[in-house]
Amino acid sequence: MSLPPPPGYGPPPGSFPPPPGSYPPPPAGNFPPPPAGNFPPPPPLPYSDPYGQAYPPPRPPGTNWWAIVSLIFGLLGGVLVSVICGFVGLKKAKQGQGGRGMAIAGLVLSGLWVLVGIAVVAVLVANKDEISNSEFADIFDPNSVNAADVGLGDCLSEIPSDASLVASVKTVACTEPHKGEVYHVVTVPDGDFPGETAIIDYQDQCQPALEDFSPAAMADPEVGMFVLYPTADSWKRGDRAVTCIATTDVPRTGSLQE
């Protein structure tokens, strides 16, 4: 035997009133749009890891003073300091401090200074003979003296080959082996260059002066005379001395004076 289906549920009888104190619905109508304007963007959020832990923003890189010092000394020619600071500056640049370009520039400038130094030394070596006979010889050789500054009693280690082209001579103590000894000096009066004839007249004083200085040297056939005298060019540089020098082919020690 079958049972009849249960009766269905209908709607509840009636409707419930609204609860007390409720707000009425807003009135119908169009509301004005929000005012226009440029608003600043929100501040950036700090970095965070996947688990939500916040990290502060990274610190800005510091100044690479090693690179700066390398560049400065590279400009001034301080090769050693520039090279050391340059390599340290490159290492600091790899660590994020920047300055790589300045460090490289300092190293390049140092290399250029080295090349310039090598070139100068090569030129000096190649022109050693010319420099030794020039007016700059005393700069490179402490024993070289300007030919116009040779004085009475000085001794020369070597005798120049041409008196008219001598700018400097090498002096030594007369107790050391030498080939020349200054025994007489004549000073030509200031003024315009007197000319070669007048200079020759001053040179003629050297022979009697040697006889007064050392009669034995005057009679010795191995003793000769060499004269340094001003030329038109050296006269412009202040050369006023006619210098008489007793010479020997074989180096000797001591003075010729008796």
Side-chain angles (χ1 to χ4, degrees):
M1 139 180 169
S2 62
L3 296 178
Y9 294 95
S15 61
F16 295 94
S22 62
Y23 295 96
N30 295 326
F31 296 96
N38 294 327
F39 297 96
L45 296 175
Y47 294 99
S48 62
D49 64 6
Y51 301 99
Q53 178 65 38
Y55 293 100
R59 296 172 56 187
T63 303
N64 192 342
W65 290 106
W66 293 95
I68 296 175
V69 172
S70 175
L71 178 60
I72 293 175
F73 276 86
L75 292 171
L76 298 178
V79 175
L80 181 60
V81 176
S82 178
V83 170
I84 294 175
C85 293
F87 282 113
V88 176
L90 286 176
K91 183 178 179 180
K92 295 292 184 181
K94 291 181 179 179
Q95 297 174 356
Q97 286 192 2
R100 183 173 182 272
M102 289 186 292
I104 293 176
L107 294 173
V108 171
L109 290 172
S110 298
L112 292 177
W113 279 110
V114 171
L115 293 177
V116 170
I118 294 175
V120 171
V121 172
V123 171
L124 294 178
V125 172
N127 298 275
K128 180 179 179 181
D129 295 336
E130 289 79 0
I131 294 175
S132 62
N133 293 324
S134 71
E135 58 185 313
F136 302 105
D138 54 339
I139 298 177
F140 303 100
D141 189 346
N143 293 325
S144 294
V145 178
N146 191 299
D149 297 332
V150 177
L152 186 64
D154 288 341
C155 290
L156 281 60
S157 60
E158 296 290 339
I159 302 301
S161 58
D162 189 347
S164 64
L165 300 177
V166 177
S168 63
V169 293
K170 185 175 293 187
T171 60
V172 295
C174 292
T175 55
E176 298 180 7
H178 59 274
K179 291 185 177 182
E181 180 181 356
V182 178
Y183 65 89
H184 187 64
V185 177
V186 180
T187 302
V188 181
D190 284 331
D192 295 335
F193 181 64
E196 294 182 2
T197 302
I199 297 299
I200 292 175
D201 291 339
Y202 285 105
Q203 294 179 25
D204 292 340
Q205 299 180 26
C206 290
Q207 183 171 346
L210 179 59
E211 188 171 0
D212 294 339
F213 179 78
S214 175
M218 185 66 187
D220 191 343
E222 295 184 356
V223 176
M225 288 187 299
F226 185 84
V227 182
L228 296 173
Y229 56 88
T231 63
D233 290 335
S234 66
W235 186 271
K236 298 176 183 178
R237 298 192 297 269
D239 184 9
R240 301 292 186 272
V242 175
T243 305
C244 306
I245 304 171
T247 64
T248 55
D249 292 335
V250 179
R252 62 184 308 275
T253 58
S255 175
L256 292 171
Q257 191 175 28
E258 295 181 351

